[in-house]
Each structure stands twice: as structure tokens, then as C-alpha cells.
Amino acid sequence: MSQKEPFLFKSYERIIGIAHDVNELKNELERLSKIDPNAVNYHIKEKHIAMWLYYIGENDLAKKFENVKDINQALSLLNEEKRSVHEQTPLKENTTIEQSKPESQQKPKRRGGKKKKLQ
């Protein structure tokens, strides 16, 4: 499987941000909204972000991005998208909430149990 090209935020031929997936896109939009919002708004208005989202297979989100006008609207859309995805992800049968957390946030598992008697 070939790796998809990341989205490059540019300001006059200078790369000011990179996103490899939707989560990184959101993080870069938040960061760049404080540093260079005009560059981000340019990419939004020219539909560069929407085209990249289609390219990486995020078609539903890309379609929504086609109507985005500025960075604030883009961030609102991504925050809304993240909430709806999180709310719609059902737990697998017999999965506890603790097990659904990323491994780094789970409590350590107890090892062992009953000891076997030595004969």
C-alpha cells in the first residue's frame, strides 16, 4: 500500500505546516490560526484542503469543506466531526470502557492468579 502525500500548508513557497491525517489537519489549523491565518484562509478559499481530503479518502468531510469560508468555520467543522465520530463509535461486545481507551491510558493489567501447588 502506498503512503498518501501529506497536506503542505505554504506561505509563498515556504512550508509552514504539514498534515498527514485529519487529526493533524485540525492541530495545524489551530496552530496556524495564531501564526498565519491568511495563508490558511487562502488554502481554504482555493479548496486545496477539500481536494486533499478527497485524495486521502475523507469524501464526506471533503464535501463539507467545499463550503467552508474561513479558518474559524474549518475548525468548527473539524471539532464537530471529531465529536460525532467519537459519539458514533460503539464498543465491541464484551468490551469495557477501560479497554476502549488507548493502551497508554489504561490501568496496568494484573498478572497472575491462583498459584499452582507444587507436588
Side-chain angles (χ1 to χ4, degrees):
M1 186 168 91
S2 65
Q3 179 104 5
K4 300 278 186 179
E5 293 293 320
F7 185 81
L8 302 177
F9 288 94
K10 290 185 175 183
S11 179
Y12 303 101
E13 299 310 311
R14 187 174 57 100
I15 297 172
I16 59 172
I18 299 174
H20 294 88
D21 56 36
V22 174
N23 190 50
E24 285 183 11
L25 176 68
K26 180 184 171 293
N27 292 339
E28 285 297 272
L29 286 173
E30 287 173 346
R31 184 180 70 81
L32 292 170
S33 70
K34 298 171 184 98
I35 297 170
D36 196 346
N38 291 331
V40 176
N41 284 328
Y42 167 76
H43 288 295
I44 290 169
K45 289 176 184 171
E46 295 296 319
K47 310 237 183 286
H48 298 158
I49 296 173
M51 289 186 287
W52 178 75
L53 288 167
Y54 280 119
Y55 165 72
I56 65 168
E58 293 287 342
N59 297 343
D60 293 339
L61 185 57
K63 188 168 275 193
K64 293 175 185 175
F65 248 86
E66 288 180 359
N67 299 314
V68 170
K69 303 289 184 232
D70 62 33
I71 195 167
N72 294 325
Q73 193 178 5
L75 285 169
S76 293
L77 177 62
L78 288 170
N79 285 327
E80 179 183 305
E81 192 75 18
K82 189 173 185 177
R83 274 193 304 275
S84 69
V85 167
H86 182 68
E87 291 168 0
Q88 291 175 5
T89 306
L91 292 177
K92 292 179 185 172
E93 196 172 322
N94 299 324
T95 300
T96 65
I97 292 177
E98 182 66 25
Q99 290 169 326
S100 69
K101 294 178 183 176
E103 199 169 316
S104 62
Q105 294 177 359
Q106 292 181 17
K107 294 177 186 172
K109 294 179 179 143
R110 292 184 62 190
R111 302 283 186 229
K114 291 184 180 180
K115 292 183 180 178
K116 292 184 179 180
K117 289 185 181 178
L118 295 175
Q119 293 179 359

